Amino acid sequence: MDSPETSSRPAQRPAVAPESPAPHSAPPAGPAAMRASDADRDRVADRLREALAEGRLTPAEHAERIDAVYEARTYAELAPLVADLPDAGEPIGPLPDPQPQPRVRLDKEPSLPAPRRESTSIVAVFGGADRRGRWLVEPDTSVLAAFGGVDLDFRQAVLSRREVHLTVTCLFGGVTLKVPPGVRVINSISAVFGGVSTPEDDAFDADAPVIRLSGVALFGGVDVKRK
């Protein structure tokens, strides 16, 4: 009666099945499956911004990839976003080699530092506040200047999306924005016994980066300068 013993062999398969995926589960736990940090996402965003400036990406492609960057959780999700860009510099992921050999870079300049993450609320009451250098502009930022002044410099800033929104409340104060060429500024601020000054729009591309302004200027002023 060997057939009962032979038929019992399939019954042993469930006991073996849980062990078989274990050897195959080790490779996905490698560098590609590791969790990416905020600095990693900012580094990829910098590459995309440089590719946009060089004309390698259209504004629409840049906006789509930037959205994907800040939704990515692992290196495997970040790597495809820059895989088709030349001069990518360092690979996406942790450096696997501890050897003290100098790494050869193909790009002309060292990679730029990751932009600083700042608060989405900028407040100046009887004082001043500013943002300058390489700072990350979140999709929505609120600005309050009450008997004080706020200076926002976007010339080296990194926009987290193609269009960002600033809600400005200016009460007996002043807000100054410095923007680079090629960035559109759309103003919807209501001025009551105050004023808003914006430069002529030099960006003719409908998909150019946009800084949208809304809010109120009461006995105060908002001045946008293109430099």
Side-chain angles (χ1 to χ4, degrees):
M1 300 295 290
D2 295 336
S3 58
E5 296 178 0
T6 329
S7 61
S8 65
R9 292 177 184 174
Q12 297 176 354
R13 291 179 185 173
V16 179
E19 299 178 1
S20 58
H24 299 287
S25 62
M34 292 180 63
R35 304 282 288 189
S37 67
D38 288 340
D40 295 321
R41 283 183 281 271
D42 291 338
R43 181 157 55 96
V44 175
D46 284 343
R47 289 191 194 174
L48 296 177
R49 182 188 61 80
E50 293 166 2
L52 173 65
E54 295 169 351
R56 302 186 191 277
L57 294 177
T58 66
E61 291 172 331
H62 175 263
E64 180 180 357
R65 295 193 189 194
I66 281 292
D67 289 342
V69 164
Y70 288 101
E71 292 176 358
R73 293 293 175 266
T74 65
Y75 292 120
E77 295 174 299
L78 288 175
L81 300 176
V82 292
D84 59 347
L85 300 178
D87 298 335
E90 297 177 355
I92 302 302
L95 297 175
D97 185 14
Q99 298 179 2
Q101 298 179 356
R103 288 172 291 168
V104 178
R105 297 182 58 90
L106 299 180
D107 49 356
K108 294 173 289 186
E109 299 179 356
S111 59
L112 295 173
R116 304 185 315 274
R117 285 186 175 272
E118 301 281 2
S119 170
T120 57
S121 178
I122 304 172
V123 179
V125 179
F126 292 99
D130 62 29
R131 293 283 189 275
R132 63 186 65 210
R134 285 181 59 77
W135 59 289
L136 181 66
V137 185
E138 300 290 352
D140 293 284
T141 302
S142 62
V143 180
L144 170 62
F147 298 94
V150 175
D151 185 6
L152 305 178
D153 192 339
F154 292 89
R155 290 174 295 179
Q156 297 181 32
V158 177
L159 303 186
S160 59
R161 301 198 177 183
R162 184 185 68 84
E163 179 173 322
V164 296
H165 179 213
L166 269 67
T167 303
V168 179
T169 304
C170 187
L171 306 174
F172 296 93
V175 177
T176 301
L177 289 78
K178 299 183 182 73
V179 299
V183 175
R184 298 179 62 196
V185 178
I186 300 177
N187 174 45
S188 300
I189 297 176
S190 300
V192 182
F193 295 103
V196 179
S197 173
T198 59
E200 293 184 2
D201 197 353
D202 69 343
F204 300 98
D205 189 349
D207 291 327
V210 175
I211 298 176
R212 187 178 295 274
L213 306 177
S214 65
V216 60
L218 177 62
F219 292 98
V222 178
D223 187 16
V224 182
K225 302 176 181 178
R226 193 180 304 281
K227 294 187 176 182

